[in-house]
Amino acid sequence: MEKADRESNKFRVALYSYGKADDTGGYVDEEANLPSYHPSCLAAMVYMHFAGIQYELVACNDPTMSPSRTLPVLVISGENPVTDYTSIIRYLEHTVGYGLDKWLNEAQRNDAFAFKCLVEEKLRLCQLFNWWKDTSNTKKIEKLTYPKPMSFPASWLVPWWHKNSILGLLRKHKFVKPEKVYNQAEVCYEALSNKLGGKEYFFGDKPSTLDAIVYAYLATQYNSPVNSSELRLRIKKFPNLVNFCSKITKNYFGKDTLPVNDNTDKLKDYVEEKRSRNSNTKKKLTPEEEKMKKHATFSVIIGATILSLYILTQNVRIHDRLGVLLGAE
């Protein structure tokens, strides 16, 4: 990531994400072959689309290249990499000012938090169960998650570690009985469907963070080409959720995407202003402090020289004594 930034002086906004899987087949809608089937990566993508931030999508299926060993990673010229979609959304919202939820009132914010927890805690585990616990789905899911080959031994270790960590998580939360798991998923879908109603987005005609998160999970569950599609069958019971996903996919990831307000220049201005502010706040030393700094440096050099001479003379003495002893023998 750092190398790519150094190779160009242009302002760059890049999102490193698990890539698109083109060779698995079996999609519900071939045009809905999503740019990523990793919910966290897809949530970051659609949030940036909603916010009007143009970015370069870098398909990368190796999480070990990330500072936190997770994807997605947002790389912006002049800034430290931002890892995982929650941190990316927080960075864009609180640091740069691209908050999709600024217009929500307190009651709506509370609702958004509750539904976000429902999706990330319950629905996420249902999806992991369907994808990784159901052995008929595992092979295709591995292709979706790691569509491009990694070098050995990462090609073996990373998928093995990923799968086993997920199975351990499911055991911890007692997600073991299929019917119980899928019933929980349907309860989540029903709650989301009731909240959405006939609106375009969950809180009206403008998207929020909740819309990005819900879309990422529903779209990957509905459109993934798995053999056992129990989650898809449950989602089909709620046509407004299906339409919600289809519209966003078509508008932002389809062939004829909607034009969006380009706020990338605002992001560039923020980064440049921050860089200028940091350079101006560097403490300038007074003449007296400069003199003390030079004196301290000179003292360190003299001390190091004396220590080196002492060690050298001691080594010579030891060598002479050994010579005398050996000669006496």
Side-chain angles (χ1 to χ4, degrees):
M1 290 186 292
E2 294 177 359
K3 182 180 179 182
D5 265 348
R6 288 195 299 266
E7 288 175 351
S8 174
N9 293 324
K10 294 182 179 180
F11 183 74
R12 182 170 183 254
V13 180
L15 186 69
Y16 287 74
S17 162
Y18 287 109
K20 182 177 181 179
D22 296 314
D23 58 350
T24 54
Y27 298 99
V28 175
D29 178 359
E30 287 301 324
E31 291 187 0
N33 186 357
L34 303 173
S36 175
Y37 277 81
H38 193 281
S40 297
C41 294
L42 193 61
M45 290 180 204
V46 76
Y47 185 96
M48 293 177 73
H49 279 292
F50 286 162
I53 302 173
Q54 303 298 315
Y55 63 92
E56 172 192 351
L57 180 60
V58 182
C60 170
N61 68 317
D62 185 1
T64 60
M65 49 73 65
S66 163
S68 64
R69 301 295 187 266
T70 59
L71 294 175
V73 179
L74 178 64
V75 177
I76 300 173
S77 299
E79 293 282 273
N80 293 324
V82 185
T83 61
D84 79 70
Y85 84 98
T86 302
S87 297
I88 290 171
I89 290 174
R90 189 183 303 117
Y91 169 83
L92 294 172
E93 181 176 2
H94 298 295
T95 308
V96 186
Y98 289 107
L100 294 179
D101 302 338
K102 288 181 178 180
W103 56 278
L104 299 180
N105 59 40
E106 185 177 355
Q108 290 173 324
R109 288 176 183 273
N110 291 336
D111 282 353
F113 178 77
F115 279 99
K116 179 175 177 287
C117 291
L118 179 72
V119 171
E120 293 180 333
E121 294 177 11
K122 288 290 184 182
L123 203 53
R124 171 175 169 264
L125 289 173
C126 295
Q127 181 169 351
L128 292 176
F129 181 91
N130 180 244
W131 283 15
W132 296 96
K133 186 67 175 177
D134 190 330
T135 54
S136 64
N137 291 336
T138 303
K139 289 296 180 183
K140 279 200 171 184
I141 292 304
E142 286 181 351
K143 286 185 177 182
L144 284 173
T145 309
Y146 306 103
K148 296 181 180 179
M150 290 179 284
S151 58
F152 185 82
S155 59
W156 181 81
L157 288 175
V158 172
W160 176 85
W161 174 85
H162 189 188
K163 179 180 177 180
N164 281 276
S165 63
I166 288 172
L167 294 178
L169 181 67
L170 293 173
R171 286 193 298 270
K172 178 182 176 182
H173 291 277
K174 298 180 180 179
F175 273 63
V176 292
K177 296 182 178 180
E179 189 61 26
K180 184 178 179 181
V181 170
Y182 295 131
N183 285 341
Q184 286 191 51
E186 186 167 337
V187 170
C188 294
Y189 297 144
E190 184 176 9
L192 290 168
S193 176
N194 291 337
K195 178 63 180 175
L196 180 62
K199 302 186 295 293
E200 184 176 0
Y201 298 107
F202 280 91
F203 297 107
D205 58 356
K206 291 193 295 185
S208 65
T209 302
L210 180 64
D211 293 285
I213 294 171
V214 172
Y215 167 77
Y217 280 93
L218 292 185
T220 52
Q221 292 169 17
Y222 185 74
N223 290 300
S224 60
V226 293
N227 296 319
S228 177
S229 55
E230 185 64 29
L231 291 179
R232 182 188 305 156
L233 295 175
R234 304 281 178 131
I235 294 174
K236 277 186 175 181
K237 296 180 180 181
F238 307 97
N240 62 338
L241 295 183
V242 175
N243 292 334
F244 169 79
C245 292
S246 298
K247 282 184 179 179
I248 294 177
T249 301
K250 180 181 178 181
N251 290 341
Y252 296 100
F253 301 115
K255 294 179 180 178
D256 301 316
T257 58
L258 285 178
V260 295
N261 295 325
D262 190 355
N263 291 320
T264 315
D265 286 342
K266 293 181 182 179
L267 180 58
K268 181 180 179 181
D269 292 342
Y270 162 80
V271 173
E272 290 179 348
E273 181 183 345
K274 178 183 175 183
R275 189 182 304 166
S276 175
R277 188 168 60 248
N278 289 341
S279 63
N280 291 334
T281 54
K282 288 182 179 178
K283 184 180 178 182
K284 191 173 181 180
L285 298 178
T286 65
E288 185 64 25
E289 288 173 330
E290 287 282 0
K291 184 178 179 180
M292 291 176 64
K293 181 179 178 182
K294 289 179 181 178
H295 180 74
T297 304
F298 181 72
S299 298
V300 170
I301 294 172
I302 294 296
T305 304
I306 292 173
L307 180 61
S308 300
L309 290 172
Y310 173 77
I311 294 172
L312 180 62
T313 56
Q314 290 300 312
N315 286 339
V316 171
R317 289 178 182 177
I318 292 171
H319 183 270
D320 290 343
R321 288 177 183 175
L322 285 172
V324 171
L325 291 172
L326 290 172
E329 294 178 358

